[in-house]
Amino acid sequence: ALKEDLNSNVHDPMKYGASFATTLNWGYATVEQKECGSRHIRCTRGRGMGGTSLLNGMLFNRGAREIYDEWAMRGAYGWSGSELLKYFKRYEDNSRGESKAHGTGGRVRVSDIPKDQLSPIAVAFHKGCVEAGFRANPDQNSLIGPQDGVQIYQCYIRDDNGHRVTASRAFLTNVSKIPLILQAGSLVTGIDLSTCDDSHTKTATKVRYLDQTGVPQTVEAKHEIVLSAGVIGSPQILMLSGIGPSEHLSDVAIPTQVDLKGVGSNLVDHPRVAVKWASTLKGLNPMNLFSHVEANLYAKSWWNNGPPDIQIQQDHVRTNADLLLDPPLSTGF
């Protein structure tokens, strides 16, 4: 078993946030943000087999079809919403069954929150959104129909044992027939490029890393290299390899291999504003429920003709500004 899967703070959904201040988090923070009271904003990134799926809120969210379509329009051919749908369906084992939008039999379990574990706060939130004029949208993740409206979440949580579904648990268990070597505890330090023939085209051929003991190692690719280290780790590795804006690479004494202006730029995170109330509900233990975030509203600002740009989540336990559960745990929203 992977050591991450032996950690109860990982696989117990109601212990969300308990691993934020541990070695399972890279502990990144932004530079000073003048528009946010000159604070340094925490940026949680998972450090372990499974990446940030070890730490995230387990909410099933594919994203907006229009965003993927824009990627394809800008040159990322094959990345449109309709083209990606088959891959989303392939990895999915959705409790709602097979449909045009969702798949079954894949490695990632996607479950509805059981009705007997849905808090009255979620029911009231959903009802209130509909009464306010927003559509009830049973599936914000279809990539076929509209995304806007209010729904009760589906979650990356197994409905048979109540455990978090991490990427490692989904894809790295029961794979004995696949020739796979895992170098756990290693740190990638760069990618080596080679020039092909006389075309002057550079191709990634080797990966450099430090093993568990800190000894430098190199592995050569026979076919291809897939870089999947997240929104912070991937551009970092590219720039350490000399792939990025030459001006910035020169500033940190890294020889430029490929002058690629966009690397390390344009990361946009969404600002979050928490509004908290205490509840007068009696007899409801927040920690006995399936997921602490239950309902979600996607809406559009009045000037927006594109995908939703406003998201309102309902949470039945009070959290602080860092998304950690407020002690003592109490019913609220």
Side-chain angles (χ1 to χ4, degrees):
L2 298 169
K3 68 176 183 178
E4 291 86 354
D5 285 339
L6 301 177
N7 188 332
S8 64
N9 290 340
V10 169
H11 62 69
D12 183 350
M14 293 316 300
K15 291 185 177 178
Y16 164 73
S19 299
F20 286 4
T22 71
T23 55
L24 290 177
N25 183 7
W26 282 100
Y28 294 134
T30 67
V31 296
E32 184 179 288
Q33 301 294 302
K34 294 181 180 179
E35 294 80 5
C36 297
S38 297
R39 291 181 294 138
H40 297 269
I41 309 300
R42 179 177 54 79
C43 188
T44 300
R45 294 282 93 191
R47 184 181 187 181
M49 206 70 70
T52 307
S53 70
L54 301 171
L55 305 176
N56 64 19
M58 298 154 285
L59 305 176
F60 177 46
N61 193 341
R62 286 177 173 173
R65 180 187 66 249
E66 295 92 335
I67 300 297
Y68 297 124
D69 290 346
E70 184 180 356
W71 290 359
M73 183 183 67
R74 289 175 177 266
Y77 304 115
W79 284 81
S80 69
S82 59
E83 291 170 298
L84 290 178
L85 181 57
K86 61 182 177 181
Y87 300 108
F88 281 121
K89 291 181 64 176
R90 186 182 299 175
Y91 79 67
E92 189 178 307
D93 184 22
N94 199 297
S95 64
R96 297 181 182 179
E98 181 81 21
S99 68
K100 292 182 178 180
H102 297 287
T104 57
R107 286 185 165 269
V108 178
R109 183 63 173 172
V110 179
S111 303
D112 282 291
I113 299 175
K115 290 185 178 180
D116 62 348
Q117 295 189 50
L118 194 64
S119 77
I121 297 172
V123 176
F125 177 86
H126 189 282
K127 180 181 178 182
C129 288
V130 173
E131 290 177 349
F134 298 101
R135 80 171 87 209
N137 187 347
D139 189 3
Q140 296 173 337
N141 294 296
S142 71
L143 295 185
I144 298 174
Q147 188 189 36
D148 63 295
V150 61
Q151 74 158 12
I152 302 298
Y153 266 120
Q154 286 194 295
C155 302
Y156 292 115
I157 299 176
R158 295 202 61 87
D159 45 6
D160 54 357
N161 60 17
H163 287 180
R164 171 196 291 269
V165 180
T166 65
S168 55
R169 179 167 288 190
F171 292 102
L172 298 181
T173 54
N174 301 319
V175 292
S176 57
K177 297 181 180 180
I178 300 176
L180 178 68
I181 298 175
L182 296 176
Q183 295 288 355
S186 300
L187 181 68
V188 175
T189 56
I191 298 171
D192 288 343
L193 306 180
S194 298
T195 302
C196 297
D197 303 325
D198 297 328
S199 64
H200 303 292
T201 299
K202 294 184 177 181
T203 301
T205 55
K206 298 178 182 179
V207 175
R208 290 176 277 111
Y209 68 95
L210 301 178
D211 65 19
Q212 290 180 333
T213 62
V215 176
Q217 304 286 353
T218 301
V219 60
E220 186 169 358
K222 292 184 178 180
H223 300 290
E224 62 182 353
I225 296 171
V226 176
L227 178 56
S228 180
V231 297
I232 294 177
S234 292
Q236 179 192 29
I237 292 170
L238 288 174
M239 289 190 286
L240 288 172
S241 308
I243 303 171
S246 58
E247 300 87 350
H248 177 62
L249 296 177
S250 298
D251 289 342
V252 292
I254 296 177
T256 299
Q257 299 295 327
V258 178
D259 184 12
L260 200 56
K261 301 298 182 184
V263 178
S265 302
N266 305 316
L267 173 62
V268 179
D269 205 350
H270 49 191
R272 176 183 182 271
V273 178
V275 183
K276 301 183 289 184
W277 290 270
S279 173
T280 58
L281 288 173
K282 303 297 182 183
L284 176 64
N285 182 355
M287 302 311 285
N288 284 343
L289 299 178
F290 197 70
S291 172
H292 67 89
V293 177
E294 301 170 296
N296 180 68
L297 170 68
Y298 280 124
K300 300 181 180 182
S301 50
W302 64 266
W303 61 82
N304 177 25
N305 294 319
D309 56 356
I310 297 173
Q311 180 179 18
I312 300 176
Q313 293 180 326
Q314 167 268 325
D315 192 330
H316 66 253
V317 290
R318 289 187 291 171
T319 60
N320 62 27
D322 285 326
L323 290 176
L324 302 177
L325 302 182
D326 278 343
L329 288 170
S330 60
T331 303
F333 57 97

